[in-house]
């Protein structure tokens, strides 16, 4: 991953802010708030807002690296391997957090082997 530019650190700061706001906003709102009721309603379109924003920001950080890697399978391999490990772990384990951690570990191991 290209960690040299300001864009990387901007993306990290944006992900941190978005993650914080999606977690803290329900606690900052009054219990009688219409927004809170709308956010917590079953089947709300806004229920997936936090994960969607995080996925979008992650894609904005990862896609340029994949484009830069081009045809070099050794550089694309860790990304694909991490996705596969995450998908398999999500299927086998019912905990999304554990699946993401296993995917990150798989990515790290493959990146170390490729580097």
């Amino acid at each position: 991953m290209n960690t040299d530019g300001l864009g990387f650190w901007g993306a990290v700061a944006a992900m941190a802010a978005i993650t914080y706001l999606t977690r803290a906003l329900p606690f900052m709102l009054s219990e009688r708030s219409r927004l809170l009721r709308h956010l917590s309603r079953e089947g709300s379109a806004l229920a997936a807002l936090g994960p969607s924003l995080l996925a979008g920001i992650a894609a904005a950080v990862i896609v340029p690296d994949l484009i830069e890697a081009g045809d070099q399978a050794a550089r694309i391999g860790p990304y694909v391997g991490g996705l596969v490990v995450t998908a398999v772990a999500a299927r086998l384990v019912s905990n999304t957090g554990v699946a993401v951690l296993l995917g990150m570990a798989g990515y790290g191991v493959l990146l170390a082997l490729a580097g």
Side-chain angles (χ1 to χ4, degrees):
M1 178 179 292
N2 184 4
T3 60
D4 297 336
L6 183 62
F8 171 78
W9 292 110
V12 168
M15 284 190 285
I18 289 169
T19 301
Y20 172 76
L21 288 174
T22 58
R23 303 300 191 268
L25 186 61
F27 296 108
M28 291 191 266
L29 295 174
S30 165
E31 289 184 22
R32 295 183 296 183
S33 169
R34 275 192 266 172
L35 177 60
L36 182 60
R37 283 195 308 265
H38 186 67
L39 288 172
S40 61
R41 187 175 66 220
E42 185 71 30
S44 171
L46 297 176
L49 181 62
S52 298
L53 288 171
L54 292 173
I57 291 171
V61 172
I62 293 170
V63 168
D65 285 345
L66 290 176
I67 291 172
E68 185 181 301
D71 296 328
Q72 298 175 352
R75 291 187 62 197
I76 294 176
Y79 290 103
V80 174
L83 287 172
V84 169
V85 170
T86 303
V88 169
R91 190 79 170 140
L92 297 176
V93 181
S94 61
N95 188 330
T96 306
V98 171
V100 170
L101 289 174
L102 290 173
M104 289 172 42
Y107 169 78
V109 167
L110 292 171
L111 189 63
L113 292 174

